Amino acid sequence: MTKKTFKTDSGIEIKELYTTSNEVEKSGEFPYTRGIQKDMYRGKMWTMRQYAGFSTAEESNKRYKYLLANGTTGLSVAFDLPTQIGYDSDHTMSEGEVGKVGVAIDSLRDIEVLFGGIKLEEITTSMTINATASTLLAFYLALAKKQGADLKKISGTIQNDILKEYAARGTYIYPPKPSMRIITDVFEYCSKEVPKWNTISISGYHIREAGSTAVQEIAFTLSNAKAYTKAAIEKGLDINVFGQRLSFFFNAHNNFFEEIAKFRAARRMWAKMAKEFGATNPKAMMLRFHTQTGGSTLQAQQAENNIARVTMQALAAVLGGTQSLHTNGFDEALSLPTENAAKIALRTQQIIAHESGVIDTVDPLGGSYFIEELTQKVEDEAWKYIQKIDAMGGSVNAIEQGYMQKEIADASFRYQKEIERNEKIIVGVNKYQNEGSTPPVFKIDDNIRTQQIEKLNALKAERDSEKINQCLQQLDQTAKEGNNLMPHIIDAVENYATLGEIADTFRNVFGEYKA
């Protein structure tokens, strides 16, 4: 096959990689500062995802088909709060929250509707789910089996990062130790049965959304990654196998050059960490990451300005070497994104990819005096945090002692005070204010919960109650014995046990975490 030649609009040929005379690092080589692939986007574009999910599975399915028709190359599912914390829609704790910040999923039946008409073998799906990640993965795999798919070909990601929930986000259910056990069960199961599935997306995104700095974001994320890796190794798993399916999730914030340096530093740091854990397979040392533009940077005032913010953040992610990208809708400070806002967000990625020329060479800012020094400074400061956390006994202990939470809260407070003192300018908020127009917002029908309860009642009337009881008893026994939970979770969901029933079974065995 003839190798594609890349040129500027003036016909100047663009080399694959530019180096200075003393440059030794190459892309696709340890420690991967300049990218995990030799040719990066010249060979394969990043996956363009749009995070979507709201109200019912039927409505979300329509949005997925719309996004796919407009060029999205991967799906990314948002779940409502009851789904995230293991309550069915008919639970009293679910009142007022069903379908509001994501799609409501109570059983396999909802997943069948959510992905209706979409072949799971032909698409990659990312699911932002943590405490109930094992159950949502089981739903997904059960549907794939019903579609006749080969599980060895199914690919996607579950977030499954519970440590950052304790530190920054709050959608945890069980205490840290049993939560880590469930996560490593997923590692073990998928390494054998679903080898192309990314079993965790270790997330700095929500740490940043809670108010951390860029340095804290990668330091705390990589500390959590150390904890997961250590737990998996202690379970007897091989880092050269499970390490290939670890993925990361970062925020793209406003400080353009610092964000680029952050992504480069994180890649280099993880390569060194993985090597210290004994990784010899290059793929187990590569930090593969998804990026989402900063939700907390979106402003309700003059909402159209968010289009410019999202564009700069997306460009930083691409220049930093992301493997997957979601761009926020400009109206998300007001509501879930409207269809038009979602399309503009996707078109932003497509314009960067096809019109800007930034993908034509690997790491185009590599060798910049500023970028190289900033990358090193970010790395140095992040190592200082990691060393402090290691001295505490690792991430779990640091979280239980409230260290990460306090550091994030302090950074958030400092940032907000800078805005209030006009030391940091936010256009349209503390300077250049005007009335502006408010764009139309996306509204969720308050009757969603009633619809979901009706579906649940119909499901429970139709299914085999005796079989459900047997499945849940088996889950209870396995949870107590310490064997791998995943085969029994899949068995339960295939017999239409609900998400809440499975979560309650684990609550009875493991208890609930109280901050």
Side-chain angles (χ1 to χ4, degrees), residues 33 161 164 168 202-209 211-228 247-253 257-273 287-291 320 373-387 389-390 395 403-404 407-408 411:
T33 312
D161 175 6
K164 67 91 176 52
I202 306 162
S203 175
Y205 182 86
H206 303 97
I207 290 170
R208 193 65 177 279
E209 288 292 282
S212 81
T213 65
V215 168
Q216 289 170 341
E217 179 187 353
I218 61 167
F220 297 165
T221 303
L222 293 174
S223 284
N224 290 346
K226 286 183 74 172
Y228 294 124
S247 65
F248 292 78
F249 175 22
F250 292 120
N251 197 303
H253 218 266
F257 292 111
E258 184 178 48
E259 293 302 289
I260 295 166
K262 177 189 76 178
F263 298 132
R264 299 172 90 248
R267 207 160 30 236
R268 188 156 74 199
M269 292 172 73
W270 174 246
K272 295 173 184 175
M273 281 183 174
L287 185 145
R288 298 169 300 115
F289 68 100
H290 170 70
T291 310
E373 183 168 338
L374 191 55
T375 300
Q376 188 61 55
K377 288 279 180 66
V378 168
E379 179 180 354
D380 290 344
E381 292 302 308
W383 281 124
K384 290 177 185 177
Y385 272 112
I386 291 170
Q387 286 162 6
I389 293 167
D390 286 347
S395 277
Y403 172 72
M404 287 190 194
E407 288 294 312
I408 294 167

Side-chain angles (χ1 to χ4, degrees), residues 95-109:
E95 190 170 350
E97 292 293 345
V98 175
K100 290 295 174 68
V101 298
V103 61
I105 299 295
D106 292 319
S107 73
L108 175 57
R109 189 158 292 176

Side-chain angles (χ1 to χ4, degrees), residues 359-487:
I359 71 163
D360 292 345
T361 188
V362 174
D363 190 27
L365 293 182
S368 154
Y369 296 129
F370 179 43
I371 285 293
E372 295 300 346
E373 183 168 338
L374 191 55
T375 300
Q376 188 61 55
K377 288 279 180 66
V378 168
E379 179 180 354
D380 290 344
E381 292 302 308
W383 281 124
K384 290 177 185 177
Y385 272 112
I386 291 170
Q387 286 162 6
K388 286 182 186 177
I389 293 167
D390 286 347
M392 294 179 189
S395 277
V396 174
N397 286 349
I399 289 166
E400 289 180 339
Q401 293 174 35
Y403 172 72
M404 287 190 194
Q405 298 92 313
K406 185 178 185 304
E407 288 294 312
I408 294 167
D410 288 348
S412 178
F413 181 76
R414 288 193 299 271
Y415 184 84
Q416 187 57 38
K417 293 303 289 184
E418 288 174 356
I419 294 171
E420 292 173 6
R421 292 193 294 257
N422 284 347
E423 294 169 4
K424 186 174 290 294
I425 301 303
I426 307 297
V427 174
V429 177
N430 62 354
K431 196 167 185 179
Y432 311 115
Q433 300 104 323
N434 59 39
E435 289 300 317
S437 59
T438 302
V441 298
F442 191 93
K443 293 184 178 178
I444 298 293
D445 188 343
D446 287 332
N447 292 322
I448 297 302
R449 184 169 184 249
T450 302
Q451 296 175 33
Q452 284 297 115
I453 291 172
E454 289 173 355
K455 292 178 190 174
L456 269 171
N457 290 339
L459 173 71
K460 289 176 180 178
E462 295 169 14
R463 66 186 188 177
D464 185 336
S465 298
E466 187 176 335
K467 182 64 176 174
I468 290 294
N469 289 334
Q470 291 172 4
C471 290
L472 296 177
Q473 286 170 11
Q474 181 62 59
L475 263 186
D476 179 275
Q477 182 180 338
T478 305
K480 290 172 180 172
E481 291 174 348
N483 296 322
N484 195 300
L485 290 162
M486 278 305 296

Side-chain angles (χ1 to χ4, degrees), residues 8 11 55 182 291 293 397 422 513:
T8 69
S55 72
I182 296 170
T291 310
T293 55
N397 286 349
N422 284 347
Y513 178 72

